[in-house]
Amino acid sequence: MNYRIANRGFFGMVLLHLAVVAALLIGNVTSMSILLNLFLSEMMLAAPALLALLFSGERPNRVLCFHGIKLTSVLMVIVFTFLMGPLTTLLNAVSMLFVDNAVVDMSGQILEYPFPVMLFMMAVFGPACEELAFRGILYRGYLKSGSALRAVLLSSLLFGLIHMNFNQAPYAFALGAAMALLMETTGSLLAPMLMHMIFNAQSVVLMYVYGRFFPWLLEEQAQMTAGPEELIPTICVYLVLAVACTAVAGCVLVWLGRNEGREEYLRWLWQEEKRKAGRRRLVSPSLIAGVLLCLAYMILLALL
């Protein structure tokens, strides 16, 4: 699978998203259940990616790496996930200087459903579809066609953009890069999938805890537009935490590579990165069109 097919897969995701939005507007559908919304959103990512894999002619088991990892590695993936928390909180807070928190805005609809249902949809089904699409298919296509660094950055950029809002895009980019690196250090798609599930699960759990015991906090957050005077102290605190925790997270990645016996492969990948960095391209017309459509939609959404 090469970068052109991967780019077409991403373009297909964007077109499908916009087509569904247009159909809802034409049909004058003013509201949709959050459950159906979540299901359609994930299928709009997984279906084009799987079609791209199908048209590539490659065997799925050569692209998707689902082999197991050691129990000690699983435990360190959990540690790695929480170490990335301060960076994502920092990026979320910075984005809120300019736009609203997209997840808090949906909390009222989410809490209408039983906890197990939303935990499955947001912390199992969603991460499985997104990791299959972005780390399992698009990233592997870019890695085959270009350098590892470009594959990490491009797949992470597209992962951020496909969230279609300026609040989630920055921290989704950071998480996408972390999960792509996690996949390379462990050699298994199960590692980033586990990280994604833990990250989403903690958000769902906290939302239901707040909804059950501190409902007034959720109401205040939903109604309040945080200003610089509230956000800047938070940003300063999390900036320090993010620098420290992300540095430790880098050490965890090194440990994971050694624990999974991938040191030689990672050294080879680094040498290939230096040798091929300037020789391979990953941009095609479908990629440019997809990125521009995402940005146009996000800008329009922010203005409205």
Side-chain angles (χ1 to χ4, degrees), residues 116-130:
V117 174
M118 296 312 296
L119 184 67
F120 172 78
M121 289 301 298
M122 297 180 70
V124 179
F125 180 71
C129 291
E130 291 174 19

Side-chain angles (χ1 to χ4, degrees), residues 281-301:
R281 54 175 295 181
L282 297 177
V283 177
S284 67
S286 56
L287 175 68
I288 295 172
V291 169
L292 290 177
L293 285 173
C294 278
L295 290 173
Y297 180 85
M298 291 163 67
I299 292 169
L300 182 62
L301 195 64

Side-chain angles (χ1 to χ4, degrees), residues 106-153:
M106 296 189 302
S107 60
Q109 300 176 63
I110 291 171
L111 293 174
E112 292 175 1
Y113 289 87
F115 172 72
V117 174
M118 296 312 296
L119 184 67
F120 172 78
M121 289 301 298
M122 297 180 70
V124 179
F125 180 71
C129 291
E130 291 174 19
E131 292 310 303
L132 180 73
F134 284 90
R135 257 62 63 185
I137 296 176
L138 296 192
Y139 170 72
R140 296 287 292 177
Y142 295 138
L143 183 63
K144 183 176 180 179
S145 299
S147 70
L149 179 60
R150 291 185 180 186
V152 169
L153 293 177

Side-chain angles (χ1 to χ4, degrees), residues 4-304:
R4 293 184 183 277
I5 296 176
N7 288 341
R8 289 168 192 156
F10 174 72
F11 185 53
M13 295 177 195
V14 177
L15 286 182
L16 193 54
H17 179 93
L18 297 179
V20 170
V21 171
L24 293 175
L25 289 174
I26 293 171
N28 199 27
V29 179
T30 56
S31 64
M32 179 189 298
S33 73
I34 190 67
L35 200 62
L36 180 58
N37 192 335
L38 289 171
F39 176 77
L40 288 177
S41 297
E42 300 305 338
M43 292 309 298
M44 286 188 290
L45 302 181
L50 288 170
L51 282 175
L53 178 60
L54 177 65
F55 283 112
S56 72
E58 293 198 38
R59 292 164 55 186
N61 63 334
R62 290 179 61 87
V63 177
L64 305 175
C65 305
F66 278 115
H67 65 77
I69 58 177
K70 297 177 181 178
L71 178 59
T72 49
S73 293
V74 170
L75 296 175
M76 291 306 286
V77 168
I78 296 172
V79 172
F80 179 78
T81 303
F82 285 102
L83 286 170
M84 291 301 299
L87 178 60
T88 58
T89 303
L90 171 66
L91 294 173
N92 182 40
V94 171
S95 73
M96 286 173 62
L97 288 170
F98 311 99
V99 293
D100 294 335
N101 188 312
V103 177
V104 169
D105 289 345
M106 296 189 302
S107 60
Q109 300 176 63
I110 291 171
L111 293 174
E112 292 175 1
Y113 289 87
F115 172 72
V117 174
M118 296 312 296
L119 184 67
F120 172 78
M121 289 301 298
M122 297 180 70
V124 179
F125 180 71
C129 291
E130 291 174 19
E131 292 310 303
L132 180 73
F134 284 90
R135 257 62 63 185
I137 296 176
L138 296 192
Y139 170 72
R140 296 287 292 177
Y142 295 138
L143 183 63
K144 183 176 180 179
S145 299
S147 70
L149 179 60
R150 291 185 180 186
V152 169
L153 293 177
L154 181 56
S155 63
S156 303
L157 173 65
L158 302 185
F159 182 61
L161 290 175
I162 205 63
H163 283 76
M164 295 293 190
N165 66 78
F166 285 112
N167 170 241
Q168 291 178 290
Y171 67 79
F173 169 80
L175 283 174
M179 290 185 288
L181 292 172
L182 193 60
M183 180 171 176
E184 284 303 333
T185 53
T186 62
S188 174
L189 185 61
L190 295 178
M193 198 172 285
L194 174 62
M195 177 182 174
H196 201 155
M197 288 178 176
I198 294 169
F199 184 85
N200 282 17
Q202 66 178 343
S203 298
V204 176
V205 169
L206 285 174
M207 194 178 299
Y208 275 84
V209 167
Y210 280 129
R212 176 67 176 84
F213 299 104
F214 313 104
W216 65 89
L217 289 177
L218 280 178
E219 291 176 7
E220 288 179 1
Q221 289 178 0
Q223 296 171 3
M224 178 183 68
T225 301
E229 61 278 2
E230 293 92 6
L231 289 171
I232 288 177
T234 301
I235 290 170
C236 291
V237 170
Y238 275 95
L239 177 60
V240 176
L241 289 174
V243 170
C245 291
T246 306
V248 177
C251 297
V252 171
L253 283 176
V254 173
W255 185 91
L256 281 166
R258 291 175 180 171
N259 196 50
E260 290 296 319
R262 289 176 62 81
E263 286 182 279
E264 291 301 320
Y265 168 76
L266 293 173
R267 287 197 192 97
W268 171 82
L269 195 64
W270 175 246
Q271 293 301 321
E272 286 291 290
E273 167 66 28
K274 293 191 291 185
R275 187 168 66 87
K276 295 181 178 179
R279 301 183 187 179
R280 300 292 183 92
R281 54 175 295 181
L282 297 177
V283 177
S284 67
S286 56
L287 175 68
I288 295 172
V291 169
L292 290 177
L293 285 173
C294 278
L295 290 173
Y297 180 85
M298 291 163 67
I299 292 169
L300 182 62
L301 195 64
L303 293 175
L304 295 176

